[in-house]
Amino acid sequence: MRRWAILALAAASLACSAGAARAADEGKLKNLKAPPPAAAPTLTGDLRVVKFTRMIVELKPEPWAFMRNQATFADDRLLSWQDGQKAMNPQAYAAIFDQELKRAAGKSPGAGGLFTQEASSPDFLAAVKITDMEGRFCKACGLSGLNDKWDGAVVMTAHWEVYSVLDRRVVASADITGGYSPTKGFDGEPEQLITEAFRDNVRRLIALPDFQKAVTTPAPVLAAAPPPKTSIALVAARPKPAIAQASASVCVVFSPQGSGSGFLISDDGYLLTNHHVVGAAKVVKIKWADGSESVGQVIRSDSRRDVALVKADSGGRAALGMRHAAAQQGETVYAIGSPLGDRFQNTMSKGIVSALRNQQGLAYIQSDVMVNHGSSGGPLLDETGRVIGLTASGQVINGAPVGINFFIPIDDALKTLNLTAPSEPAVREAAAHTP
C-alpha cells in the first residue's frame, strides 16, 4: 500500500506540475501582443533578381498558441508546435516574398520579371528558417458588433540568409522578429495572422541595409554579343599547352545551376562548357587553376547539343589546341575537370576511347576515362594535349560511375555554336613567333 501511495503522490505532483506549466503557457499567450508593424520599405534603381528558394520551420517543442472560440462555446486550448509547423505553406510564403519585393520596387504584385519566383537565373537566393512563433487566436471575444470575427496576434522570429550566386557567398544575414495583430476583426481562417506575420518579417528583411545594398548594386556590364548567325573566329596567338600544362587552361564554371567545368578555346577568352552547366544564366563566375576568378558572359548556348560559349578574361592563359581528326577506338585520352565541385578542381584522369556512338542522331565519343558530377564541360584530350571532345554525361549504377562516359566531339561543338577554329598554319605561325 505504501508503494501505491508513493506512486499516487508522484502522479499527483506531475499532474500539478503539468497544470502549472499549462497555466503559465496560457497566461503568457492570452496576453500576447505583436510588435508595431514594419513600414513598407522601398527599393530604387536597377534592381537585381532575388528568388525565394527555401523555408525551414523548426519551432520550439512547446505550445505556441492559445485559441478561444466563443462563437461555438468550445473549450480554450493550447496549440502544439506541430500544429504551428503544419499551418505554414512554403509555396504561399514564396508568393508573399515575391509580392513584397515587387511592392518595394514600385511594381504591381502581379507583375512579371523583376523578382518572379519563376526566374531561372536569379542573382540572389533567399532562404529562411522560422525558429520561434507565438500566437493568440480569439473568435467572438467581446468585439463590439464583430461577434463572428477573429482577432488575435502572432509574433514570428526567423533567421534569414541571402546568397549571391555570382559571388558564392552570403551577402545579408539577420535574425528578425516581426508580427501581426489586426486593427479590427476579420473573416476567414486564423492562419491569416501567421501569413501576415511572415509578411511583416519580409518587410523588415527588405529594409535591412545589407539587403538593399545587395539588390541595388548594378549588375556587371555585358558587352554586345555577336549575332547568332555571325561566325566567331577563334584566335591562336600563343603556343598550345601540352598535357602537363593543359590544366592551366581549364576552369570551374559557377552558375545558378551549380558548377561544372570549362576550357579555353581561343586566346582572347572564349570558353567552351555545357549548356546544362550555365542553364539560362547570362553571367557566370569563372575560377582558374591558380585560384583567381573572373566574370564570364554567356554568348551562345544550345540545349540539344548541350554546348555553350562563354567569354571571360583569360588572364594571358593560352587556349588549348583542337584536333579535327576523328577519335580512334583504343587511343589513349585524358579528361580534365572538377569532379564533385571546386574542391577537386582540375583533376586529370586517363583512359581510352571505348567506342564512337550515335544517340538520337547526335555523335558521341564513349570512353572509360573517369569523370563525375562537376566534370561536365571539361575537355577530353589526346596524348598531345589537343581537345577532341568535351564531357557531356556518364552512366551511373546505384550512385557509382561504371566507366561508360560520353563526350561531344569538338567539331560538333564548334559547328553548333558557329565558331571558326584557327587554321593549322596559323597555329604553327603563332608558335614560331612566340619567344
Side-chain angles (χ1 to χ4, degrees):
M1 291 296 292
R2 184 178 179 185
R3 179 184 175 193
W4 288 109
I6 293 172
L7 290 175
L9 284 171
S13 177
L14 288 173
C16 184
S17 297
R22 177 183 175 86
D25 288 333
E26 281 192 7
K28 177 181 70 172
L29 295 171
K30 283 166 66 175
N31 298 307
L32 181 71
K33 296 185 182 300
T42 58
L43 294 167
T44 58
D46 294 327
L47 305 177
R48 311 286 289 280
V49 178
V50 185
K51 185 172 184 177
F52 184 84
T53 57
R54 191 178 186 192
M55 183 178 83
I56 300 172
V57 184
E58 290 188 1
L59 301 182
K60 297 176 182 178
E62 59 187 32
W64 78 276
F66 170 82
M67 178 175 282
R68 172 176 290 172
N69 188 344
Q70 294 190 170
T72 60
F73 301 102
D75 292 337
D76 293 349
R77 64 191 182 102
L78 291 174
L79 304 183
S80 71
W81 60 276
Q82 294 99 327
D83 291 332
Q85 295 195 164
K86 291 176 183 177
M88 307 186 77
N89 182 344
Q91 289 184 335
Y93 289 8
I96 291 170
F97 184 88
D98 191 46
Q99 292 165 9
E100 290 305 313
L101 283 168
K102 287 174 180 174
R103 283 196 179 99
K107 294 184 173 290
S108 67
L114 191 62
F115 294 107
T116 177
Q117 294 308 305
E118 288 73 37
S120 57
S121 182
D123 298 302
F124 300 98
L125 306 176
V128 65
K129 183 178 186 179
I130 311 298
T131 57
D132 192 19
M133 190 162 63
E134 295 180 325
R136 171 175 59 82
F137 306 100
C138 195
K139 189 170 187 179
C141 293
L143 294 173
S144 176
L146 299 172
N147 290 333
D148 60 345
K149 306 288 185 180
W150 281 101
D151 182 31
V154 169
V155 178
M156 180 185 294
T157 298
H159 176 74
W160 287 92
E161 290 190 359
V162 180
Y163 178 82
S164 169
V165 174
L166 193 59
D167 294 332
R168 306 191 319 280
R169 65 182 180 89
V170 173
V171 295
S173 175
D175 293 302
I176 297 175
T177 297
Y180 177 72
S181 182
T183 56
K184 60 181 181 179
F186 64 92
D187 294 313
E189 299 299 324
E191 287 84 356
Q192 182 178 333
L193 271 71
I194 307 175
T195 300
E196 293 306 313
F198 180 79
R199 188 184 302 278
D200 185 74
N201 218 283
V202 172
R203 288 177 176 173
R204 294 173 191 271
L205 170 71
I206 298 172
L208 289 178
D210 284 349
F211 182 90
Q212 297 224 349
K213 179 181 177 181
V215 301
T216 58
T217 299
V221 178
L222 304 180
K229 294 184 178 180
T230 301
S231 179
I232 297 175
L234 305 180
V235 176
R238 301 180 182 89
K240 299 304 154 192
I243 282 288
Q245 292 78 43
S247 289
S249 302
V250 182
C251 62
V252 186
V253 179
F254 296 96
S255 79
Q257 308 295 114
S259 70
S261 303
F263 58 96
L264 278 168
I265 55 169
S266 183
D267 290 344
D268 56 354
Y270 283 110
L271 298 150
L272 270 186
T273 187
N274 291 130
H275 169 82
H276 76 259
V277 171
V278 301
K282 300 299 182 186
V283 177
V284 294
K285 180 62 73 71
I286 304 299
K287 182 182 179 184
W288 300 101
D290 61 5
S292 62
E293 297 186 353
S294 58
V295 173
Q297 179 181 353
V298 180
I299 303 297
R300 293 176 181 172
S301 191
D302 185 276
S303 59
R304 183 170 186 267
R305 184 69 279 202
D306 195 18
V307 290
L309 181 70
V310 176
K311 182 70 179 292
D313 181 359
S314 66
R317 297 170 181 84
L320 296 175
M322 290 177 281
R323 190 183 98 186
H324 306 292
Q328 300 297 311
Q329 188 175 36
E331 73 169 294
T332 299
V333 289
Y334 301 82
I336 304 176
S338 303
L340 307 180
D342 62 337
R343 179 183 175 189
F344 299 107
Q345 179 173 359
N346 288 41
T347 295
M348 181 183 289
S349 53
K350 180 181 179 181
I352 64 168
V353 173
S354 305
L356 303 179
R357 302 289 184 191
N358 189 296
Q359 299 179 359
Q360 299 181 335
L362 299 175
Y364 289 95
I365 301 168
Q366 179 186 327
S367 175
D368 64 349
V369 65
M370 181 61 70
V371 294
N372 216 315
H373 296 295
S375 301
S376 296
L380 183 69
L381 308 172
D382 67 11
E383 289 190 287
T384 68
R386 293 180 298 171
V387 180
I388 62 172
L390 70 154
T391 308
S393 63
Q395 296 293 306
V396 175
I397 296 179
N398 295 327
V402 293
I404 301 176
N405 304 303
F406 299 99
F407 303 81
I408 301 164
I410 188 62
D411 278 0
D412 277 24
L414 299 180
K415 182 179 179 181
T416 300
L417 296 171
N418 200 6
L419 307 176
T420 304
S423 64
E424 285 300 320
V427 174
R428 289 195 296 270
E429 183 179 354
H433 287 81
T434 301

